[in-house]
Amino acid sequence: MVAAGCDGEAPAPDAGGDAGADPVMDAGTDAGTEPDAGPECAGPPGLYAGGGCTELEVGVRRYETRYELWADGADKERFVYLPPDTTIDTSDPDQWVFPVGTRIYKTFLHEGVRLETRLLEKTDEGSGVGAWDMRAYAWNEAQDAVEDVTNMPLAVREDVLGTDHDIPSGADCVRCHGGLDVVNGFSAIMLNHGGAGVTLQTLLDESRLTEAMAPADAVMPGDETAAEALGYLHANCGHCHRENSGDPSAALTGLRMWVSVDATTVEETETHATSVGVESTYPDPSPDAICRIDPGVPDESVVLRRMESREMPAQMPPLATEDVDTEGVELVRAWIASVTGDASACTP
């Protein structure tokens, strides 16, 4: 298990389900309680109040994402802090702009042991990389303190606490979080589910969004096969392959996999428009793989071949994974097998 690109978590229940019980939300207050007596917590800034790094600071709340970002099987916990009396600018429903003081945390765990916590903290007005501080912290064996390893040598960041988990460099974080306002997983489609913690619906109920949106509009289009595959690509590829991407090499290809909230059919998604029957810009060594997605032919689709590879430069995603996500591959394979469309460009 190695570090994933700096966003994403385990999938939450389907959108539209009954909200999971959240005692903090049910009580009408933000997460966080008085710290228990115990060792002082020297954890990531602003995350824990004390009690051996188990009690959240007041105002820090858990959240989950609808679709999972593959992290070589790592478990994850995610938290958000939104300053009181602030709102997220959602005038563009696909490109949220966060208030100064926002903090987004993601912790990676192995068998219940915390290995790493990543922190995105908005420190300045405006949007983009220059308005944010991005840090990575490694946990100690006692689980009561962390060390800032953002810009430390790889030898310090790899194989954390005897696992094969590697922590990304600061440059890697910028590469994955270079979009309009750097946050990837805390967004309309990713928060639109019936699980516990902060969701799209709770943000609407609390008037935290400048522009209201109907949860029914923030869903993946298509049948279950298409929706799950599009959601997987959205979470695992869309943060680079989208408009205003921070990865210039991904932006140049013209491949887009971030699904807009206004897409009502599979064909309206940029994923479909820029991949199905579209000749790949990556020179696959096999002459029968020409198109990014060859409709109905998974094994001759370059997108799937690159997902199945862990050899550079073919590997996709290119950062922070050493193991192929076999379940994700099968989701995308099933969708490609069902896709129809013009395959004339895919014939050698």
Side-chain angles (χ1 to χ4, degrees):
M1 152 184 75
V2 297
C6 307
D7 211 5
E9 189 176 350
D14 288 344
D18 292 334
D22 183 348
V24 173
M25 297 293 291
D26 291 345
T29 62
D30 287 336
T33 61
E34 292 298 321
D36 295 332
E40 183 179 352
C41 175
L47 180 55
Y48 292 108
C53 297
T54 58
E55 303 292 344
L56 295 175
E57 276 283 6
V58 172
V60 177
R61 303 159 72 178
R62 295 178 182 270
Y63 74 97
E64 301 172 352
T65 56
R66 172 66 183 84
Y67 299 101
E68 179 182 7
L69 176 69
W70 173 243
D72 286 358
D75 295 320
K76 299 184 259 335
E77 295 177 334
R78 302 193 70 189
F79 311 93
V80 61
Y81 173 80
L82 295 173
D85 303 317
T86 62
T87 55
I88 302 169
D89 181 353
T90 54
S91 52
D92 181 341
D94 294 311
Q95 303 276 5
W96 291 9
V97 179
F98 294 84
V100 173
T102 297
R103 298 194 304 269
I104 306 283
Y105 302 89
K106 180 172 67 175
T107 296
F108 291 79
L109 306 93
H110 176 64
E111 295 182 352
V113 176
R114 291 175 292 206
L115 305 175
E116 172 202 357
T117 296
R118 300 174 192 171
L119 168 61
L120 305 178
E121 181 173 13
K122 190 159 191 182
T123 55
D124 293 295
E125 297 286 353
S127 62
V129 172
W132 290 79
D133 185 27
M134 306 183 194
R135 315 299 298 174
Y137 297 89
W139 285 86
N140 65 359
E141 290 187 7
Q143 299 284 280
D144 60 7
V146 296
E147 180 180 13
D148 183 346
V149 297
T150 308
N151 296 310
M152 287 192 176
L154 177 60
V156 177
R157 295 182 286 105
E158 66 180 354
D159 299 336
V160 182
L161 297 183
T163 70
D164 58 0
H165 181 88
D166 299 337
I167 298 175
S169 66
D172 287 340
C173 283
V174 171
R175 183 174 174 183
C176 288
H177 290 275
L180 179 64
D181 207 27
V182 314
V183 178
N184 298 323
F186 199 85
S187 57
I189 288 176
M190 295 291 269
L191 292 174
N192 191 21
H193 58 77
V198 179
T199 66
L200 178 59
Q201 188 62 59
T202 64
L203 293 173
L204 290 166
D205 293 343
E206 296 167 7
S207 300
R208 286 289 198 153
L209 309 180
T210 60
E211 304 288 338
M213 63 185 73
D217 293 336
V219 296
M220 286 295 166
D223 60 18
E224 182 178 358
T225 297
E228 290 302 310
L230 290 172
Y232 183 88
L233 295 171
H234 177 89
N236 286 270
C237 311
H239 53 278
C240 287
H241 290 281
R242 70 173 183 178
E243 186 180 4
N244 298 316
S245 168
D247 188 333
S249 61
L252 287 173
T253 67
L255 177 60
R256 303 284 185 266
M257 292 189 171
W258 185 268
V259 177
S260 172
V261 299
D262 63 4
T264 58
T265 68
V266 173
E267 291 72 22
E268 288 178 357
T269 65
E270 288 196 301
T271 310
H272 189 283
T274 64
S275 64
V276 175
V278 177
E279 188 172 349
S280 175
T281 57
Y282 176 76
D284 192 279
S286 301
D288 57 345
I290 296 174
C291 284
R292 290 166 175 166
I293 291 180
D294 190 339
V297 192
D299 290 334
E300 295 180 10
S301 298
V302 174
V303 164
L304 193 67
R305 290 196 176 192
R306 299 191 71 181
M307 287 177 62
E308 293 177 314
S309 175
R310 284 302 178 268
E311 298 292 333
M312 294 300 292
Q315 171 178 322
M316 278 292 162
L319 291 175
T321 170
E322 296 173 356
D323 302 323
V324 174
D325 181 3
T326 55
E327 292 184 6
V329 165
E330 289 310 308
L331 286 176
V332 176
R333 177 184 295 278
W335 174 57
I336 294 176
S338 72
V339 170
T340 59
D342 183 3
S344 59
C346 308
T347 303

